[in-house]
Coordinates of all heavy atoms in Angstrom, one line a residue:
T170 N -60.0 86.8 9.1 CA -61.1 86.6 8.2 C -62.5 86.9 8.9 O -63.5 87.1 8.2 CB -61.2 85.1 7.8 OG1 -61.2 84.3 9.0 CG2 -60.0 84.7 6.9
T171 N -62.5 87.1 10.2 CA -63.7 87.4 10.9 C -63.5 88.5 12.0 O -62.3 88.6 12.5 CB -64.4 86.2 11.6 OG1 -63.4 85.7 12.5 CG2 -64.7 85.1 10.6
D172 N -64.6 89.2 12.3 CA -64.3 90.2 13.4 C -64.7 89.5 14.7 O -64.9 88.2 14.8 CB -65.3 91.4 13.2 CG -66.7 91.0 13.1 OD1 -67.1 90.0 13.5 OD2 -67.5 91.9 12.6
K173 N -64.8 90.2 15.8 CA -65.0 89.6 17.1 C -66.4 88.9 17.2 O -66.5 88.0 18.1 CB -64.9 90.7 18.2 CG -63.5 91.2 18.3 CD -63.4 92.3 19.4 CE -62.0 92.8 19.6 NZ -61.9 93.9 20.6
S174 N -67.3 89.4 16.5 CA -68.7 88.8 16.5 C -68.8 87.6 15.6 O -69.8 87.0 15.6 CB -69.7 89.8 16.1 OG -69.6 90.2 14.7
G175 N -67.7 87.3 14.9 CA -67.8 86.1 14.0 C -68.2 86.4 12.5 O -68.3 85.6 11.7
K176 N -68.5 87.7 12.3 CA -68.9 88.1 10.9 C -67.7 88.2 10.1 O -66.6 88.6 10.4 CB -69.6 89.5 11.0 CG -70.1 90.0 9.7 CD -70.8 91.4 9.8 CE -71.3 91.8 8.4 NZ -72.0 93.2 8.6
K177 N -67.9 87.7 8.8 CA -66.8 87.7 7.9 C -66.3 89.1 7.5 O -67.1 90.0 7.2 CB -67.2 87.0 6.7 CG -67.4 85.5 6.9 CD -67.7 84.7 5.6 CE -67.8 83.2 5.8 NZ -68.1 82.5 4.6
L178 N -65.0 89.3 7.5 CA -64.4 90.5 7.1 C -64.0 90.5 5.7 O -63.4 89.5 5.1 CB -63.1 90.8 8.0 CG -63.4 91.2 9.4 CD1 -62.1 91.3 10.2 CD2 -64.2 92.5 9.5
H179 N -64.2 91.6 4.9 CA -63.8 91.8 3.6 C -62.9 93.0 3.4 O -62.5 93.3 2.3 CB -65.0 91.9 2.7 CG -65.9 90.7 2.5 ND1 -65.6 89.7 1.6 CD2 -67.0 90.3 3.2 CE1 -66.5 88.8 1.7 NE2 -67.4 89.1 2.7
F180 N -62.5 93.6 4.5 CA -61.7 94.8 4.4 C -60.8 95.0 5.7 O -61.4 95.0 6.8 CB -62.6 96.0 4.3 CG -61.8 97.3 4.2 CD1 -61.4 97.8 2.9 CD2 -61.5 98.1 5.3 CE1 -60.7 99.0 2.8 CE2 -60.8 99.2 5.2 CZ -60.4 99.7 4.0
V181 N -59.5 94.9 5.5 CA -58.6 95.2 6.6 C -57.4 96.0 6.0 O -57.1 96.0 4.8 CB -58.0 93.9 7.2 CG1 -59.0 93.1 7.9 CG2 -57.3 93.1 6.1
Y182 N -56.9 96.9 6.9 CA -55.7 97.7 6.5 C -54.5 96.8 6.6 O -54.2 96.1 7.6 CB -55.5 98.9 7.4 CG -56.6 100.0 7.2 CD1 -57.6 100.2 8.1 CD2 -56.5 100.7 6.0 CE1 -58.5 101.2 7.9 CE2 -57.5 101.8 5.8 CZ -58.4 102.0 6.7 OH -59.3 103.0 6.6
V183 N -53.6 97.0 5.7 CA -52.3 96.3 5.7 C -51.2 97.3 6.0 O -50.3 97.1 6.8 CB -52.0 95.5 4.4 CG1 -50.6 94.9 4.4 CG2 -53.0 94.5 4.1
A184 N -51.2 98.4 5.3 CA -50.2 99.5 5.5 C -50.9 100.8 5.2 O -51.5 101.0 4.1 CB -49.0 99.2 4.7
R185 N -50.7 101.8 6.1 CA -51.3 103.1 5.9 C -50.2 104.1 5.4 O -49.1 104.0 5.8 CB -51.9 103.6 7.2 CG -53.0 102.8 7.8 CD -54.3 102.8 7.0 NE -54.7 104.1 6.7 CZ -55.6 104.9 7.5 NH1 -55.9 104.4 8.7 NH2 -55.9 106.0 7.1
R186 N -50.7 105.1 4.6 CA -49.9 106.2 4.2 C -48.5 105.9 3.7 O -47.5 106.3 4.1 CB -49.8 107.3 5.4 CG -51.1 107.8 5.8 CD -51.0 108.8 7.0 NE -52.3 109.4 7.2 CZ -53.3 108.7 7.8 NH1 -53.1 107.5 8.4 NH2 -54.5 109.3 8.0
V187 N -48.6 105.0 2.6 CA -47.4 104.6 1.9 C -47.2 105.5 0.7 O -48.2 105.7 -0.1 CB -47.6 103.1 1.5 CG1 -46.3 102.7 0.8 CG2 -47.9 102.3 2.7
P188 N -46.0 106.0 0.4 CA -45.7 106.8 -0.8 C -46.3 106.0 -2.0 O -46.1 104.8 -2.1 CB -44.2 107.0 -0.8 CG -43.8 106.9 0.6 CD -44.8 105.9 1.3
A189 N -47.0 106.8 -2.9 CA -47.7 106.1 -4.0 C -46.8 105.2 -4.8 O -47.3 104.1 -5.1 CB -48.3 107.2 -4.8
G190 N -45.7 105.6 -5.2 CA -44.8 104.8 -6.0 C -44.4 103.4 -5.4 O -44.4 102.4 -6.0
L191 N -44.1 103.5 -4.1 CA -43.7 102.3 -3.3 C -44.9 101.4 -3.2 O -44.8 100.1 -3.4 CB -43.2 102.7 -2.0 CG -42.6 101.6 -1.0 CD1 -41.4 101.1 -1.8 CD2 -42.2 102.3 0.3
A192 N -46.1 101.9 -2.9 CA -47.3 101.1 -2.7 C -47.7 100.4 -4.0 O -48.0 99.2 -4.0 CB -48.4 101.9 -2.1
T193 N -47.6 101.1 -5.1 CA -48.1 100.6 -6.4 C -47.2 99.5 -6.9 O -47.6 98.5 -7.4 CB -48.0 101.8 -7.5 OG1 -48.9 102.8 -7.0 CG2 -48.4 101.2 -8.9
A194 N -45.9 99.6 -6.6 CA -44.9 98.6 -7.0 C -45.2 97.3 -6.2 O -45.1 96.2 -6.7 CB -43.4 99.1 -6.8
A195 N -45.4 97.5 -4.9 CA -45.6 96.3 -4.0 C -46.9 95.5 -4.5 O -46.9 94.3 -4.6 CB -45.7 96.7 -2.6
V196 N -48.0 96.3 -4.7 CA -49.3 95.6 -5.1 C -49.1 95.0 -6.5 O -49.7 93.9 -6.8 CB -50.4 96.6 -5.1 CG1 -51.7 96.1 -5.6 CG2 -50.6 97.1 -3.6
A197 N -48.4 95.7 -7.4 CA -48.2 95.1 -8.7 C -47.5 93.8 -8.7 O -47.8 92.8 -9.4 CB -47.4 96.1 -9.5
E198 N -46.5 93.6 -7.8 CA -45.9 92.2 -7.6 C -46.8 91.2 -7.1 O -46.7 90.0 -7.5 CB -44.6 92.4 -6.7 CG -43.8 91.2 -6.7 CD -42.4 91.4 -6.1 OE1 -41.9 92.5 -6.3 OE2 -41.8 90.4 -5.6
V199 N -47.7 91.6 -6.2 CA -48.7 90.6 -5.7 C -49.6 90.2 -6.8 O -49.9 89.0 -7.0 CB -49.5 91.2 -4.6 CG1 -50.7 90.3 -4.2 CG2 -48.6 91.5 -3.4
K200 N -50.0 91.1 -7.6 CA -50.9 90.8 -8.7 C -50.3 90.1 -9.8 O -50.9 89.2 -10.6 CB -51.6 92.1 -9.2 CG -52.6 92.7 -8.2 CD -53.3 93.9 -8.8 CE -54.3 94.5 -7.8 NZ -55.0 95.6 -8.3
K201 N -49.0 90.3 -10.1 CA -48.2 89.6 -11.0 C -48.1 88.1 -10.7 O -48.1 87.3 -11.6 CB -46.8 90.2 -11.1 CG -45.9 89.5 -12.2 CD -44.6 90.2 -12.2 CE -43.7 89.6 -13.3 NZ -42.3 90.2 -13.4
A202 N -48.1 87.8 -9.4 CA -48.1 86.4 -8.9 C -49.4 85.8 -8.9 O -49.6 84.7 -8.6 CB -47.5 86.3 -7.5
K203 N -50.5 86.6 -9.4 CA -51.8 86.1 -9.5 C -52.5 85.8 -8.2 O -53.4 84.9 -8.1 CB -51.9 84.9 -10.5 CG -51.5 85.3 -12.0 CD -51.8 84.3 -12.9 CE -51.2 84.6 -14.3 NZ -51.7 85.9 -14.8
Y204 N -52.1 86.5 -7.2 CA -52.7 86.4 -5.9 C -53.9 87.5 -5.8 O -53.7 88.6 -6.2 CB -51.8 86.6 -4.8 CG -50.7 85.6 -4.7 CD1 -49.4 86.0 -4.5 CD2 -50.9 84.2 -5.0 CE1 -48.3 85.1 -4.5 CE2 -49.8 83.3 -4.9 CZ -48.6 83.8 -4.7 OH -47.5 82.8 -4.7
L205 N -55.0 87.0 -5.2 CA -56.2 87.9 -5.2 C -56.3 88.6 -3.8 O -55.7 88.1 -2.8 CB -57.4 87.1 -5.5 CG -57.5 86.4 -6.8 CD1 -58.8 85.6 -6.9 CD2 -57.4 87.5 -8.0
G206 N -57.1 89.6 -3.7 CA -57.5 90.2 -2.5 C -56.7 91.4 -2.0 O -57.0 91.9 -0.9
I207 N -55.7 91.9 -2.7 CA -54.9 93.0 -2.4 C -55.3 94.2 -3.3 O -55.4 94.1 -4.5 CB -53.4 92.8 -2.4 CG1 -53.1 91.7 -1.4 CG2 -52.6 94.0 -2.2 CD1 -53.3 92.1 0.0
D208 N -55.4 95.4 -2.7 CA -55.8 96.6 -3.4 C -55.3 97.8 -2.7 O -54.7 97.7 -1.6 CB -57.4 96.7 -3.6 CG -57.7 97.5 -4.8 OD1 -56.8 98.1 -5.4 OD2 -59.0 97.6 -5.1
T209 N -55.4 99.0 -3.4 CA -54.9 100.3 -2.8 C -56.1 101.3 -2.8 O -57.0 101.2 -3.6 CB -53.8 100.8 -3.6 OG1 -54.1 101.0 -4.9 CG2 -52.6 99.9 -3.5

């Protein structure tokens, strides 16, 4: 949630260069569960 200086983070990488179909399906399941904060 914060960087080394203590500033709040709003952007972090979770997984890079994921095939589009696979990434879309994973994020869709997160959103289906109504959890916030994940995007592509």
Side-chain angles (χ1 to χ4, degrees):
T170 57
T171 60
D172 61 16
K173 293 180 180 180
S174 67
K176 184 179 179 180
K177 291 184 177 180
L178 288 175
H179 291 276
F180 180 89
V181 295
Y182 289 108
V183 177
R185 299 292 308 273
R186 294 176 176 82
V187 182
L191 188 61
T193 301
V196 172
E198 187 163 333
V199 172
K200 292 185 176 180
K201 183 179 179 181
K203 301 191 182 303
Y204 300 135
L205 301 177
I207 296 294
D208 204 351
T209 59

